[in-house]
Amino acid sequence: RMSFSIAARFCLKFPNLKLNQGMKLRTLYLGILLSFVSMQVEAEEINESVNFSSQVRITSYQQDYDWLNPWNKKDVVPRSGVGSVTRVGDKKWMLLTSADLVSNATLIEAKRTKTSLPSRVYLKRIDHALNLALLESDDASFFDEMRGLEWGNPEKGQAELPDLSSGRIELMQGEITGLTVGHRQVRDAWLPILQLGLKKIPPQGSIVLQKQKAVGMVLNGSQGNYNVLPKQLINKFLSHSAGPDHERFSHRGFQWQFFAQPSLAEFSKIPENQEGIWISRVLPYGTGSEVLQAGDYLTRIGDWQLNREGQIEHSKWGNVLFDVLFLEDLDAGDEVELGIYRGGQSLNLKSKVGTYRQNGHRVPMKIFGKPPRYLIRGGMIFQELTLNYLEVWGQNWENRAPLRLRLFKQLDLTRSTNALQTKSAKQPTTERIVILSQVLPDVVNIGYQELRNMVVKKVNGKKVLNLESMVEALKNPQTGFHRIEFLPGSKRVQIVLPVQELVSADERIMKNFQIPRLQSL
């Protein structure tokens, strides 16, 4: 309408133009008008073909906890991405997006393409292992005139992504180049991941389309290479009811490595030309966890032979890591045969395809939506070691965090394996690693103010298993003092705090450092 109006006014404004000039100008504007109409029609076709009305812009306002000063929160950080309309259960419409986009959010807003103001939406369900979340709206009309996603199977080849960044109907062109395996560190999960080549930077949570159907969701990436969660894993998330991150998808039950030297294979009595992988650790869950042992040499999973790099020859994706079998070839509960060498003997073991679980870590995986647990006495800040605390040292914490704390995180998996072998792994452990994280300066703790990251062993002669046990131990001081012992190798083996001075000292410390409470359990 606007282009037609402009063209008409221009032609009427110059009625006395010579015929040739007038015809040329009128022809020019007629061409502009027809081009604009053509663009509008094309845009409507794009709108129809990519289900553009199923996409909304998501803005979340995240406020993480400060794990170094556990009574505080960090500043609010806004993040933006995409949510997609999808059906969950019977006629229930929700928005599907990534967990990273909305975790620890104090406010989440969704803006439809044809509206000027955003609507508030709420977190309904989240899975940090798969990095997926569902949002719901309390506005009954929010999903009016919106279309849900239609799902298809991913394959190698061209792909498209609806682009909401400009507010116009646009498509980003990309290519799915293959299937690989990604590690989700916050939950120690190994996931089949599509590799997407794309020149533009897509918003987090963007849906990837092939043949006008959704085949996956963009999670992260950089420099033209992006990780996409396949639709098979998304559908498993959508089909499960609300609950913690477990029993949602098939998963391997072991960690592995390849033989670095031929002599090691010879020592383990493995035939010289036999390809396979060495089982370095058995997990307390997942496929093969009930039959495999550390030191086994795994050569086959069902009909698929493994090479020395842990790859199989897949009929659809070519040479890929064996974890891709858990995408659609091996379903939870299926029986699968594992070919191994153990003690120089070739064995075939029967196993059930198991699922991913969280299970009894002494050093918990990353915690979301809950404040840090802590205890302060005499300016001493005691916390339980978690992945959140280790990440205080940044993304490269595995190299930068104190060595002792890193070792406890690594040895935690070994403890889980031992628990599996003693049949106690199904019971989540309440045992934690309690550390003295830092000391708030005060006259009551002079001489201790430089102490950091020391692991607590005993308090008043009682073994410390978690913060609750430490609180109980502090109720029984010895001869007017609290005696806190640390593991050997710490900067100090023991410290003492005077019981009578702690009450006034704690009040003074709370006031000086603006601490609302001395403990949070």
Side-chain angles (χ1 to χ4, degrees), residues 244-495:
D245 303 337
H246 71 287
E247 298 184 357
R248 297 199 190 282
F249 55 96
S250 304
H251 200 273
R252 58 179 164 90
F254 53 88
Q255 294 185 354
W256 65 274
Q257 64 185 62
F258 56 86
F259 279 125
Q261 299 177 351
S263 59
L264 185 58
E266 182 179 350
F267 175 80
S268 303
K269 300 179 181 178
I270 307 298
E272 181 179 357
N273 297 321
Q274 178 63 62
E275 298 205 8
I277 56 176
W278 180 54
I279 305 300
S280 58
R281 184 172 294 154
V282 179
L283 302 177
Y285 57 82
T287 307
S289 59
E290 77 279 17
V291 296
L292 291 173
Q293 299 177 9
D296 286 345
Y297 190 72
L298 181 63
T299 62
R300 180 174 54 84
I301 300 177
D303 295 330
W304 293 273
Q305 299 289 331
L306 277 67
N307 65 19
R308 298 183 190 276
E309 284 74 42
Q311 295 179 328
I312 61 167
E313 179 65 34
H314 195 275
S315 58
K316 182 176 180 180
W317 299 102
N319 282 334
V320 287
L321 289 173
F322 67 87
D323 297 79
V324 303
L325 294 173
F326 300 119
L327 185 62
E328 53 188 351
D329 295 280
L330 298 175
D331 293 324
D334 290 350
E335 187 175 80
V336 62
E337 187 175 82
L338 306 177
I340 69 166
Y341 277 87
R342 178 183 296 168
Q345 293 185 342
S346 177
L347 301 175
N348 294 319
L349 307 177
K350 299 288 187 179
S351 176
K352 292 284 187 180
V353 176
T355 56
Y356 169 83
R357 298 181 186 179
Q358 291 189 74
N359 194 293
H361 295 285
R362 290 178 70 196
V363 182
M365 303 305 295
K366 192 164 184 178
I367 297 170
F368 296 90
K370 295 181 181 179
R373 289 160 52 88
Y374 69 89
L375 171 68
I376 301 176
R377 290 294 184 272
M380 310 278 179
I381 304 178
F382 299 99
Q383 295 178 251
E384 294 174 346
L385 183 61
T386 63
L387 181 57
N388 303 70
Y389 185 78
L390 290 169
E391 288 184 347
V392 168
W393 282 270
Q395 293 294 324
N396 194 27
W397 64 265
E398 291 177 308
N399 295 316
R400 297 178 58 191
L403 177 61
R404 173 167 293 193
L405 302 187
R406 285 183 275 146
L407 289 176
F408 271 108
K409 177 60 181 173
Q410 295 172 8
L411 292 174
D412 185 42
L413 287 174
T414 303
R415 191 210 69 83
S416 297
T417 302
N418 294 335
L420 172 70
Q421 294 171 351
T422 57
K423 306 300 181 182
S424 63
K426 293 184 179 180
Q427 298 298 326
T429 182
T430 58
E431 186 176 345
R432 299 288 183 263
I433 306 298
V434 177
I435 62 172
L436 170 61
S437 59
Q438 61 175 312
V439 180
L440 303 175
D442 187 81
V443 294
V444 78
N445 56 46
I446 291 177
Y448 300 146
Q449 295 175 1
E450 301 301 320
L451 301 182
R452 298 283 189 279
N453 302 311
M454 296 164 53
V455 179
V456 179
K457 180 181 179 182
K458 292 182 179 181
V459 172
N460 295 329
K462 294 184 178 180
K463 184 178 180 180
V464 172
L465 301 176
N466 48 39
L467 284 178
E468 284 84 359
S469 68
M470 188 169 183
V471 171
E472 290 299 315
L474 287 170
K475 295 178 181 179
N476 300 290
Q478 299 175 341
T479 62
F481 291 91
H482 291 301
R483 301 183 183 276
I484 302 173
E485 301 176 43
F486 301 96
L487 288 182
S490 302
K491 192 171 183 179
R492 280 181 177 264
V493 177
Q494 178 179 272
I495 63 174

Side-chain angles (χ1 to χ4, degrees), residues 1-11 24-42:
R1 292 177 187 173
M2 184 178 296
S3 293
F4 180 80
S5 177
I6 292 172
R9 290 177 184 177
F10 186 87
C11 293
K24 288 181 180 179
L25 289 172
R26 287 182 174 88
T27 301
L28 173 63
Y29 258 83
L30 181 60
I32 294 174
L33 175 60
L34 292 175
S35 297
F36 184 82
V37 172
S38 175
M39 290 170 61
Q40 289 289 89
V41 172
E42 181 181 355

